[in-house]
Amino acid sequence: MKVFGVVGYIFVLLKALSEAWLDVVRRSVNGCINPQVVEIETNINNLIGQVLLACSITLTPGTLTIGLSPEKRRLKIATISPRKRDEIVPFEPYIKKIFD
């Protein structure tokens, strides 16, 4: 089951990276930037999984993890524009399969 989680995670991460990269380029050209800080709760209980999630969010263009509270399972994230939770962490279920 962990193998499927790893493969799924890599696929979804690459997809999210390419989509976010195009979004940031488009927003940079047209100037449609409205930064905000959001706090989301994660379903991942494992500390290493939470750190991987935080790093994956930071790798994705247009988002930056600025805080992690492992005991509360909360992440504070800066985004280039308002985004839904699913747009910020599409790879969370795959990380959960790997570590939980």
Side-chain angles (χ1 to χ4, degrees):
M1 191 66 164
K2 290 186 178 193
V3 173
F4 293 120
V6 171
V7 171
Y9 165 73
I10 291 170
F11 176 75
V12 172
L13 179 65
L14 291 175
K15 182 178 182 246
L17 289 172
S18 61
E19 289 173 353
W21 181 80
L22 291 171
D23 181 61
V24 169
V25 169
R26 182 178 50 88
R27 289 181 186 282
S28 297
V29 170
N30 68 17
C32 184
I33 296 174
N34 182 16
Q36 76 175 144
V37 175
V38 294
E39 195 168 305
I40 63 168
E41 186 172 337
T42 179
N43 298 322
I44 300 170
N45 297 316
N46 184 291
L47 177 60
I48 297 172
Q50 291 176 5
V51 171
L52 179 61
L53 178 64
C55 291
S56 300
I57 292 168
T58 299
L59 279 174
T60 308
T63 57
L64 176 66
T65 303
I66 56 176
L68 170 63
S69 179
E71 56 280 341
K72 294 180 183 177
R73 296 182 317 167
R74 298 188 80 53
L75 294 143
K76 191 177 283 190
I77 302 160
T79 64
I80 195 170
S81 64
R83 296 176 190 214
K84 296 178 184 172
R85 183 187 189 284
D86 294 338
E87 295 173 335
I88 298 172
V89 289
F91 24 76
E92 181 182 32
Y94 301 96
I95 295 173
K96 185 167 178 63
K97 282 182 188 177
I98 297 168
F99 290 101
D100 285 348

